[in-house]
Amino acid sequence: MPARYQLVSAAAFLTVKDAAEYLGLSPHTLYVWRHRRQGPPSFRTGPRGRVMYRREALDSWIREQEQADSRSNTARSPLSTAPQQRVAYIPGA
């Protein structure tokens, strides 16, 4: 594992660049998601308003994405539920 990645994964707060690397995304994707109010939670800090991410918030966001995806969460898979029964249509009833 590269030394830079070890430092990024050990830090409590990550810059946009480091958070993107941690998530395997481009920094541009995180900027777009932030603008659209999507993606993991972030905040601004310091006199220049630098965008930062908490590593624990990124991990929590990843878990939420896994639970929302039916391929990762068998409870949400349409294949794990019984098929719905059709109700018989009776004309004029």
Side-chain angles (χ1 to χ4, degrees), residues 54-73:
R54 286 184 184 271
R55 188 170 53 89
E56 65 186 40
L58 295 177
D59 292 337
S60 176
W61 181 79
I62 290 169
R63 283 190 296 277
E64 289 172 14
Q65 300 312 299
E66 290 173 339
Q67 292 303 309
D69 186 353
S70 64
R71 291 172 290 187
S72 300
N73 184 352

Side-chain angles (χ1 to χ4, degrees), residues 34-51:
R34 181 174 165 80
H35 177 74
R36 294 179 180 171
R37 302 190 189 287
Q38 297 173 329
S42 60
F43 62 96
R44 289 191 175 272
T45 187
R48 299 179 79 192
R50 185 178 217 179
V51 176

Side-chain angles (χ1 to χ4, degrees), residues 8-56:
V8 167
S9 65
F13 299 101
L14 304 176
T15 63
V16 172
K17 181 180 176 184
D18 292 338
E21 184 176 325
Y22 185 76
L23 294 171
L25 301 169
S26 74
H28 179 74
T29 298
L30 286 179
Y31 279 118
V32 169
W33 284 354
R34 181 174 165 80
H35 177 74
R36 294 179 180 171
R37 302 190 189 287
Q38 297 173 329
S42 60
F43 62 96
R44 289 191 175 272
T45 187
R48 299 179 79 192
R50 185 178 217 179
V51 176
M52 301 292 286
Y53 293 85
R54 286 184 184 271
R55 188 170 53 89
E56 65 186 40

